[in-house]
Amino acid sequence: MLIQDVKKAAELLREGKIVIFPTETVWGIGADAKNTDACQKIYRVKERPSDNPLIIHLAKVEEISKYGEISDDHLKAVSAFIPGPLTIILKKRDPQLFSCGLETVAIRIPSCPRAQEFLQEFGGAVAAPSANISSQPSITRLSDILETFDSRVDAILSGDDSQLGLESTVIDLSKDQPIYIRPGMVSLEQLQKHLPTISRYQGSQNEAPPSPGMKYRHYAPSARVRLTSSLCNLETATSHKKIGFEPNADQLVDSNESYAQELYSFFIACDREGIEEIWCQAPQPGHLYDALMNRLLKASNH
Ligand code: TXA
Ligand code: MG
C-alpha cells in the first residue's frame, strides 16, 4: 500500500509494522529498531540471512551518542558527511537495539528530506537495510519498489527516486583505528581529510569479515554481468544490453555520478526484459570509482 502521510508511516512503525521509505542512496525497508519481532519481519520479507545486521537510521547527529559510543574527535570528523551517505559502526550503547547479537551498532542519518521527515516524526531508531530481495540489486526508483514489494509489506511511503544511487559508505569506529569497510558515496580520500588514520580493510581469508554482509553475494541481477574496458567489439550473447560512456551504450552515462544513479535501475529493467547478459564499462578513475567497481565486481560474482 502506497501512503503519502509520514504521520501514518510513523504510526505503523510504532505498531510493529514494516514500512519502506526513500533515502538519498537507495530505498530502505524499515522497522522500529527496538522491536525484535518487527525487525525479524524484515528478514523474512527480504529473504535476508539472519546473521546480517541492520543499519539503524536516526534523524539527528545529536542522537548518535544515545545509541553508540563515539569520541568527540570522531563525532567532529564524521559531521562533515552526516547527515548524508555515511554509516558508522560504533560500540552499542542501548541494549534494547536489535543487533544480531553483536556488541556494535551501525548508524546512519540520511539527508534526504523525505527520510528526515519520516525519522523526525517517528522520533526513535529505525532499523533498515536496503529495500531489495537479498543478493538482488538495491532499488532506487519508486516504480521498482512498487513492483517488488507492494504485496509484501505493510506500507510504502511515497517519495522521489534516490538522488545518489549507491549505498552509503560504511566505516568502523568501534576499534582503536577507523576502518573503511564498504566503499560508497563518500570516498576513502574524502574521509582521510577528516580521519587521517583511517585505513582500508585488509582482511585475510581466515578472519571473520568486519561486516557480516561482506560474505554474501550482492547487487546481482539474474542476467550475467560482464565487465569491460570498452563497449566496442564485444563478443556478446544474442540477448544483451550495455551500460557505459560510449555512444553504443543502451544506457549512456556521462560521469561516475550518473553511472551510480542509473546502475541498479538498469539492472532491474534488463531483468524485466529477460536480457541474458549485461555488459558494464569500467567506471572512470576518480570519485566513485571504488564504489562502482565494488558493486560491479560483486554483481559479476567476481
Ligand atoms: O545506503 C545505505 O546504507 C542503505 C540505506 C537504506 O540506508 N542501507 C543499506 O543497508 O545498504 P544494508 O543492510 O543493505 O547494508 C548494510 C551493511 C551490511 O553489509 C551489514 O552487514 C553491515 O552494513 N552492518 C550493519 N550493522 C553492522 C555492524 N554492527 N557491524 C558490521 N557491519 C554491519
Ligand atoms: Mg543491501
Side-chain angles (χ1 to χ4, degrees), residues 46 48 130 132 138 167 182 218-219:
K46 267 194 68 122
R48 182 176 177 95
S130 51
N132 55 292
S138 298
E167 301 81 357
R182 178 173 75 179
H218 279 302
Y219 320 119

Side-chain angles (χ1 to χ4, degrees), residues 65-119:
S65 51
K66 241 164 73 184
Y67 297 95
E69 288 175 25
I70 186 163
S71 68
D72 290 346
D73 284 354
H74 281 166
L75 187 59
K76 194 165 163 228
V78 298
S79 295
F81 309 100
I82 291 178
L86 178 69
T87 296
I88 54 176
I89 297 173
L90 302 176
K91 285 199 181 115
K92 189 171 75 162
R93 189 166 250 172
D94 185 332
Q96 284 180 292
L97 287 180
F98 177 85
S99 64
C100 288
L102 298 173
E103 283 171 7
T104 54
V105 58
I107 296 179
R108 173 160 129 72
I109 299 174
S111 58
C112 159
R114 191 73 168 143
Q116 273 288 331
E117 249 186 294
F118 172 52
L119 292 164

Side-chain angles (χ1 to χ4, degrees), residues 132-138 148 217-222:
N132 55 292
I133 305 300
S134 274
S135 89
Q136 293 180 11
S138 298
T148 309
R217 185 161 192 249
H218 279 302
Y219 320 119
S222 305

Side-chain angles (χ1 to χ4, degrees), residues 193-223:
K193 294 197 181 117
H194 299 267
L195 287 166
T197 60
I198 192 166
S199 63
R200 208 180 276 273
Y201 168 68
Q202 309 271 4
S204 78
Q205 294 242 310
N206 309 325
E207 217 179 301
S211 200
M214 284 169 91
K215 61 180 184 281
Y216 296 111
R217 185 161 192 249
H218 279 302
Y219 320 119
S222 305

